[in-house]
Amino acid sequence: MILSVTLSKPVNNIEETLEKPYTKIKIRAVNTADGASYAAEMFTKTQVFHKKFSEAELDDFLSANAGVTFKNCVKRTESEEITLLTNKKGKITELKKKLDNSIKAAAPLKVLPQAKKKNYLLPEGTPVPFLVLLGIMNDEGKVISSRYDKFRQINRFLEFIDDILPEFADKTEAGEPIRIADFGCGKSYLTFAVHYFLTEVKQLPCEIEGLDLKEEVINYCNDMAKKLNLKNLIFHTGNIADYSGKQNPDIVITLHACDTATDYALKYAVERDARAILNVPCCQHQVNTQLQNRGKAGGATGQVSSEFEPLLKWGIIREKFSSLVTDALRGEWLESQGYKVQMLEFIDMEHTPKNILIRAIKKNGSAAKGTTTPSLMSSLGILPEIFTTHTS
């Protein structure tokens, strides 16, 4: 049985085969209660992507890529290490090395006991129409094993929705709909989930709109809503930066809206006086680029305080630091606009590295304090432009 695989030295134009310019892929066996599966970390120069494989899927992936898209492949089983090396002419050399007992003992693969079943807001075993149509559940309500991470993600997000519902007691008691905008909705797993949870589980009226740049995705979502005969759920094609909805939303949600799209969604929510914001940021390039220009490896530039220079020297550190700085700035800016802000864990790091959720609740009677420049930003000499202005 394969315990781990490392693929390195990619061929030129690897993105033509694997869609992204991966520089290295690390795959390891993970303990599961329902059989062997594998977790992969897929590295580009600036990002890390995660994917899971079944045993059969891993075999297919290695057959297609080991020695083909990656010139080096090191595969470990319980008894041996197998290395594949590909030369410039495409000839593959296979080297095998037996592993001693101490190495085998260091990496056992045991099936862990079945964990205690979690009580999800959308429980497994009860068919949910949109989950069945999206291929997350079968007709009997059993969650498809390969989609379990998405099932957990949906339920986790619904927990955050459930937590903030008391903020809308005045509307729900009056029978008024809760209005929700989902920016960068994509295939709208969460949008459909929130609609189902509010209308079918909580029996609350709601009006939800989703927005995304991709027309084909929006057409797909509208077709889904039509097939499910869902009311007060509509999807639009558009850019968050220049979107202007007809009515102000009570809640603005975003899941992995890319880079400054997250900031435009936050700005829209504040300007439209949304009572609640649930935001899971994605990649954050703007601050990273500014820091890269101001703190090159090799010494000071005179534009960044000296105490921050070690954080800017190495790319992977700068990227992580930029991500944390950006989210901290977002939180401080929302507080300056009259919101109570929490930074919460969305999904375990095992499932996604993008696991911070920003929850912001509008304080009663609070007003924006105007533009602020946090001291950290002043020290670094940067400030994302999206936060420099605010329109009440």
Side-chain angles (χ1 to χ4, degrees):
M1 177 182 173
I2 297 174
L3 296 179
S4 68
V5 182
T6 299
L7 300 165
S8 59
K9 290 193 177 181
V11 299
N12 294 330
N13 301 320
I14 187 175
E15 60 270 26
E16 294 179 3
T17 303
L18 294 180
E19 298 183 354
K20 296 184 186 298
Y22 296 118
T23 58
K24 180 183 290 188
I25 295 178
K26 294 182 178 181
I27 304 170
R28 60 183 176 84
V30 294
N31 295 327
T32 63
D34 58 352
S37 64
Y38 295 86
E41 292 181 298
M42 310 173 79
F43 298 84
T44 67
K45 289 184 178 180
T46 59
Q47 292 178 282
V48 181
F49 298 87
H50 294 77
K51 185 175 181 178
K52 285 194 173 181
F53 294 99
S54 67
E55 195 166 10
E57 289 169 339
L58 177 61
D59 288 341
D60 291 342
F61 184 80
L62 294 179
S63 295
N65 294 284
V68 181
T69 54
F70 289 92
K71 295 179 181 179
N72 286 5
C73 172
V74 179
K75 178 170 59 176
R76 286 197 174 196
T77 69
E78 294 171 310
S79 60
E80 62 183 350
E81 180 180 276
I82 304 167
T83 301
L84 299 180
L85 302 174
T86 306
N87 65 18
K88 293 181 180 180
K89 296 182 179 180
K91 180 182 177 182
I92 298 175
T93 301
E94 182 179 270
L95 306 175
K96 292 185 178 183
K97 180 175 71 175
K98 294 293 183 182
L99 299 178
D100 61 33
N101 292 333
S102 62
I103 295 178
K104 288 194 292 181
L109 182 66
K110 296 181 179 179
V111 175
L112 297 179
Q114 182 71 41
K116 184 178 180 180
K117 190 172 183 180
K118 180 176 173 62
N119 293 321
Y120 290 112
L121 292 175
L122 300 183
E124 185 174 7
T126 302
V128 177
F130 84 91
L131 291 178
V132 174
L133 195 56
L134 288 170
I136 296 175
M137 279 184 172
N138 63 20
D139 292 335
E140 287 74 43
K142 179 176 175 58
V143 178
I144 307 302
S145 59
S146 62
R147 308 307 303 278
Y148 223 99
D149 284 351
K150 179 62 70 175
F151 178 71
R152 291 192 189 98
Q153 182 191 71
I154 288 170
N155 274 282
R156 178 61 173 153
F157 194 82
L158 291 181
E159 291 174 6
F160 290 113
I161 291 290
D162 197 35
D163 287 344
I164 65 173
L165 288 182
E167 302 290 334
F168 303 95
D170 58 329
K171 298 200 71 168
T172 57
E173 289 171 3
E176 298 178 9
I178 299 174
R179 296 189 176 93
I180 301 173
D182 183 358
F183 290 133
C185 60
K187 288 190 175 180
S188 302
Y189 293 93
L190 296 186
T191 327
F192 286 108
V194 172
H195 185 276
Y196 179 87
F197 178 67
L198 292 178
T199 58
E200 299 297 327
V201 178
K202 290 294 186 177
Q203 297 291 303
L204 296 174
C206 65
E207 295 176 0
I208 304 180
E209 61 176 344
L211 184 76
D212 199 275
L213 284 171
K214 298 177 181 177
E215 185 175 357
E216 66 274 15
V217 170
I218 292 302
N219 291 337
Y220 168 84
C221 293
N222 280 319
D223 288 343
M224 283 276 296
K226 187 175 181 180
K227 288 178 182 177
L228 293 165
N229 195 30
L230 302 180
K231 307 298 182 184
N232 299 319
L233 176 60
I234 188 69
F235 298 92
H236 308 288
T237 304
N239 191 330
I240 300 172
D242 52 26
Y243 181 69
S244 179
K246 293 181 179 179
Q247 299 192 67
N248 290 349
D250 298 304
I251 304 173
V252 170
I253 63 178
T254 62
L255 176 68
H256 299 157
C258 189
D259 200 17
T260 54
T262 289
D263 302 321
Y264 281 112
L266 295 178
K267 188 169 185 285
Y268 180 94
V270 169
E271 292 179 344
R272 293 302 189 97
D273 205 30
R275 292 198 202 181
I277 302 168
L278 296 176
N279 171 262
V280 181
C282 186
C283 52
Q284 293 122 338
H285 300 305
Q286 187 183 23
V287 168
N288 191 15
T289 300
Q290 292 182 63
L291 289 178
Q292 186 175 16
N293 293 336
R294 286 163 168 77
K296 301 290 185 182
T301 65
Q303 295 175 290
V304 177
S305 298
S306 59
E307 61 265 28
F308 290 109
E309 288 178 9
L311 294 169
L312 313 182
K313 185 175 181 180
W314 296 280
I316 190 170
I317 299 296
R318 186 180 63 247
E319 181 184 3
K320 292 179 182 294
F321 177 62
S322 300
S323 175
L324 294 173
V325 164
T326 305
D327 288 340
L329 173 60
R330 287 163 174 161
E332 283 200 304
W333 184 78
L334 287 169
E335 285 182 336
S336 77
Q337 305 307 317
Y339 286 82
K340 178 183 178 181
V341 177
Q342 294 173 290
M343 297 285 174
L344 304 168
E345 182 181 72
F346 176 39
I347 290 292
D348 293 340
M349 285 290 288
E350 176 186 351
H351 304 298
T352 174
K354 303 167 186 175
N355 72 329
I356 290 179
L357 181 138
I358 303 173
R359 179 165 68 189
I361 305 297
K362 187 78 171 178
K363 298 177 184 177
N364 291 332
S366 61
K369 301 175 185 177
T371 301
T372 61
T373 303
S375 58
L376 178 61
M377 294 296 98
S378 299
S379 299
L380 290 171
I382 59 173
L383 182 66
E385 293 181 5
I386 190 66
F387 295 119
T388 60
T389 59
H390 169 70
T391 304
S392 301

